[in-house]
Amino acid sequence: MSEIELARQAIGGNEEAQLKLLTLYEQQMYRVAYSYMRNEHDARDALQEMYYLAFKNMHTVRSPEYFKTWLVRIVINTCNQQIRKQKRVLLTDTMPEHLASFDDELFEMNDVLLQLPIEQQELIHLKYFQDLKNSEIAAVQNIPEGTVKSRLHNTLKKLRTIIEGGRG
């Protein structure tokens, strides 16, 4: 059964399809949550909230092909809400074991990304860490695809300036 058919059944109220779909996307949603929360505990909390909201509101999804982007939006909103509540620095010293093998370059890039406004960080995470298409990002952010392209262009230009400024 295809993901779209599974999503169609889940939206229709099929509990088995709902569980299968959420299990299918669990790792991807965890990565999104972790990229925002920077620690396993808070990322897991965000996932729990995402599950609750997804089960509660699944019937409101209009297009089954955008189910995954709908979940991403829930995770991002949940993370942003938790960050506002906590009002703390996002980067911590503890990393889960499965992420500990990443290169130092990833952490350096993370430091660079933290210099961007949250909206631009979100755009970079969606495009390059979650491999979403511009059309999917447009659906997640509820903006036209052309706006996604121009914001991405401006964000990459700003990133280039930050990186080149750090080398000099």
Side-chain angles (χ1 to χ4, degrees), residues 2-150:
S2 73
E3 287 180 36
I4 292 175
E5 182 55 36
L6 199 57
R8 190 172 284 116
Q9 288 182 14
I11 293 165
N14 181 326
E15 290 181 17
E16 186 178 332
Q18 291 173 346
L19 288 172
K20 282 182 183 177
L21 209 51
L22 290 174
T23 301
L24 178 68
Y25 295 133
E26 181 178 15
Q27 287 301 315
Q28 293 169 308
M29 296 306 117
Y30 174 78
R31 285 194 302 270
V32 171
Y34 191 89
S35 71
Y36 277 84
M37 303 311 296
R38 303 282 183 245
N39 72 63
E40 186 172 9
H41 177 75
D42 290 342
R44 295 271 176 219
D45 282 349
L47 271 189
Q48 288 302 312
E49 183 68 14
M50 184 265 315
Y51 285 129
Y52 170 74
L53 292 171
F55 279 118
K56 182 179 171 186
N57 299 306
M58 200 168 293
H59 66 280
T60 66
V61 177
R62 293 186 195 137
S63 300
E65 55 272 3
Y66 289 113
F67 187 86
K68 180 179 166 185
T69 56
W70 178 75
L71 284 178
V72 169
R73 173 52 46 203
I74 292 174
V75 172
I76 289 170
N77 287 342
T78 300
C79 290
N80 285 333
Q81 188 175 39
Q82 284 183 6
I83 290 166
R84 281 191 299 274
K85 276 184 184 177
Q86 295 170 353
K87 293 182 181 177
R88 64 174 172 79
V89 178
L90 299 180
L91 214 51
T92 65
D93 293 331
T94 58
M95 292 282 293
E97 289 179 29
H98 64 280
L99 294 177
S101 64
F102 282 131
D103 291 330
D104 288 338
E105 291 175 9
L106 178 62
F107 294 109
E108 289 172 16
M109 188 58 168
N110 203 26
D111 289 341
V112 171
L113 289 176
L114 287 173
Q115 294 178 43
L116 294 172
I118 192 74
E119 297 82 21
Q120 290 180 329
Q121 289 179 36
E122 182 177 312
L123 188 60
I124 294 295
H125 282 289
L126 292 173
K127 180 70 177 177
Y128 298 104
F129 290 84
Q130 298 307 312
D131 294 324
L132 294 184
K133 298 174 186 165
N134 289 349
S135 60
E136 293 172 320
I137 295 170
V140 166
Q141 294 190 333
N142 200 24
I143 57 176
E145 190 173 346
T147 304
V148 171
K149 290 177 184 177
S150 65

